[in-house]
Amino acid sequence: VSKFMSALGVQDRWLPICQACSQILTGAPFIDKIWQGGSPYIKGIDYTNISTRFDELILPYTSGQVPAQRPGEKVRNIVVQDTCAQDFSDHAAIAGSRRAAYMVLNALDPQHPVTVPCMLVPPFTG
């Protein structure tokens, strides 16, 4: 459990299904280590961050939209609601979202992009 969570009285035994959840908080050792070199990115790799305005765990949701910090870094930040107001994906639903899957495929194969359909994506279930 992070120092922050410990200060709130949260103990590891209370988070049996999500031992890593405390590592997403600012000041967590994992986050600090990722940023140790001044950026979470490795130069020469193209990154895509896909986020949702309705994320209830990553707060604010914009903290998942990390811009390039140094020359040579290439980052694309996507918010699923920017291209479809019917997308109500939250933290859990984005993992099962067909729309997010198309965005991932486009990021992995930018030479052959597919149209990302706008469709209703309910929270939690995607």
Side-chain angles (χ1 to χ4, degrees):
V1 174
S2 72
K3 292 177 191 175
F4 176 77
M5 296 295 276
S6 293
L8 294 175
V10 175
Q11 300 174 15
D12 280 334
R13 63 188 167 96
W14 294 352
L15 299 171
I17 60 169
C18 189
Q19 290 291 310
C21 285
S22 63
Q23 291 299 315
I24 64 174
L25 300 171
T26 302
F30 176 71
I31 298 295
D32 289 346
K33 188 168 185 161
I34 288 174
W35 280 90
Q36 202 168 30
S39 173
Y41 304 119
I42 297 170
K43 294 176 186 176
I45 297 175
D46 294 349
Y47 290 88
T48 300
N49 299 318
I50 302 173
S51 58
T52 172
R53 285 191 183 94
F54 302 116
D55 200 313
E56 64 276 32
L57 295 179
I58 307 301
L59 300 171
Y61 77 93
T62 53
S63 64
Q65 303 167 5
V66 182
Q69 303 288 317
R70 304 172 294 192
E73 294 178 341
K74 186 176 177 189
V75 181
R76 181 171 178 221
N77 291 294
I78 300 171
V79 179
V80 295
Q81 288 81 25
D82 284 353
T83 55
C84 184
Q86 298 174 41
D87 190 333
F88 297 99
S89 296
D90 61 359
H91 189 83
I94 202 167
S97 165
R98 190 167 148 209
R99 295 191 72 248
Y102 280 117
M103 293 172 190
V104 169
L105 291 174
N106 286 341
L108 292 172
D109 188 7
Q111 300 302 318
H112 303 96
V114 295
T115 301
V116 178
C118 181
M119 63 183 75
L120 175 65
V121 180
F124 190 66
T125 60

